[in-house]
């Protein structure tokens, strides 16, 4: 539930938030993308600003308008997002990676539109598209801390669960693998979370029991995340 009067309890904090989904161009009219409305990232930016933080929002194709009172840096691709984050992370107290970042991009960009008969007249085959890995932006921020404890790094994970484990087990493994300070785990599936206005999340920290929030509006989820970030950064 959103407080009527937000206390400026995050004043003095410099916060960098990514939101939306990157798009990796294949040719001038096509891209490989991630489904993400950007609503949770925008809610985080809006609530942080309301609580007095200085907020920069690195925005990739938001489906909702960015909030007033935050600096917006628009990006298209994972590589652009990486550059925008790397340039600013060192001067930030908190980095929140709420964006859905494409893990892969087309190895080659075609300057002109790929035609159906891509290999000349009469060709009725389908083209093979080679992909290459994108850098892991969050892991890069963690690595760049070089033993220091700032910025406080928050990752997001959208998990469906699979044969190797349930949502929480996958979340714990991802928290350890990423080395972030807080992992916000969303349970996803068709019609769950993506584009919805409310969600249920599990907040995972190293050495702590999980905290489950929701189902709740994304603004309330955002406030719960900031409460936790504030308690974790207040003593450091
Ligand atoms: N992330 C990132 N750079 C990438 C991919 C993901 O910074 N190239 C960030 C996301 O913004 C998110 C976190 O890493 O905060 C977890 O993303 P997720 O896709 O769940 O994890 P991956 O490590 O990509 O693993 P997988 O997709 O295989 O589950
Ligand atoms: Ca991924």
């Amino acid at each position: 539930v959103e407080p009527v009067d937000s206390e400026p309890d995050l004043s003095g904090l410099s916060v960098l938030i990514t939101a939306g989904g990157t798009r990796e161009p294949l040719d001038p009219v096509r891209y490989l993308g991630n489904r993400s409305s950007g609503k949770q990232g925008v809610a985080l930016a809006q609530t942080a600003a309301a609580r007095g933080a200085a907020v920069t929002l690195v925005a990739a194709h938001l489906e909702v308008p960015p909030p007033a009172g935050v600096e917006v840096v628009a990006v298209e691709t994972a590589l652009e997002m990486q550059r925008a984050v790397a340039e600013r992370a060192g001067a930030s107290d908190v980095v929140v990676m709420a964006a859905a970042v494409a893990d892969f991009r087309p190895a080659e960009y075609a300057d002109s539109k790929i035609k159906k008969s891509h290999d000349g007249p009469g060709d009725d085959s389908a083209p093979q598209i080679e992909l290459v890995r994108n850098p892991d932006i969050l892991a890069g921020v963690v690595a760049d801390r070089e033993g220091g404890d700032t910025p406080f790094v928050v990752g997001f994970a959208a998990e469906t669960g699979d044969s190797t484990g349930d949502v929480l087990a996958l979340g714990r493994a991802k928290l350890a693998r990423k080395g972030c300070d807080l992992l916000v785990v969303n349970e996803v599936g068709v019609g769950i979370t993506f584009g919805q206005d409310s969600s249920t999340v599990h907040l995972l920290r190293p050495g702590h029991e999980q905290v489950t929030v929701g189902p709740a509006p994304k603004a309330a989820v955002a406030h719960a995340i900031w409460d936790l970030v504030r308690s974790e950064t207040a003593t450091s």
Side-chain angles (χ1 to χ4, degrees), residues 37 39-40 43 64 191 193-199 215-221:
S37 65
K39 282 179 182 172
Q40 186 64 73
V64 290
T193 298
F194 285 124
Q196 303 289 308
D197 291 318
S198 75
S199 59
K218 289 187 175 179
V221 170

Side-chain angles (χ1 to χ4, degrees), residues 95-120:
V95 173
V96 182
M97 286 293 307
V101 183
D103 291 324
F104 312 102
R105 67 179 181 276
E108 281 175 44
Y109 173 75
D111 291 319
S112 52
K113 185 185 169 195
I114 299 168
K115 301 302 288 178
K116 188 152 60 183
S117 294
H118 61 99
D119 208 16

Side-chain angles (χ1 to χ4, degrees), residues 56-175:
T56 301
L57 183 66
V58 178
H61 309 287
L62 303 179
E63 290 173 13
V64 290
V70 313
E71 185 196 354
V72 178
V73 180
V75 298
E76 293 279 326
T77 65
L79 288 174
E80 284 178 28
M81 180 172 281
Q82 181 197 35
R83 199 172 310 122
V85 169
E87 279 171 11
R88 293 166 178 83
S92 304
D93 299 302
V94 184
V95 173
V96 182
M97 286 293 307
V101 183
D103 291 324
F104 312 102
R105 67 179 181 276
E108 281 175 44
Y109 173 75
D111 291 319
S112 52
K113 185 185 169 195
I114 299 168
K115 301 302 288 178
K116 188 152 60 183
S117 294
H118 61 99
D119 208 16
D123 172 34
D124 61 0
S125 70
Q128 300 291 310
I129 297 166
E130 195 191 332
L131 302 177
V132 294
R133 282 280 279 268
N134 272 327
D136 189 317
I137 301 169
L138 185 153
V141 173
V142 170
D144 284 350
R145 296 194 293 195
E146 289 171 349
D149 58 1
T150 55
F152 187 88
V153 179
V154 182
F156 272 71
E159 301 288 357
T160 58
D162 62 22
S163 59
T164 66
D166 66 13
V167 168
L168 278 174
L170 291 173
R172 276 281 164 207
K174 188 166 285 183
L175 176 71

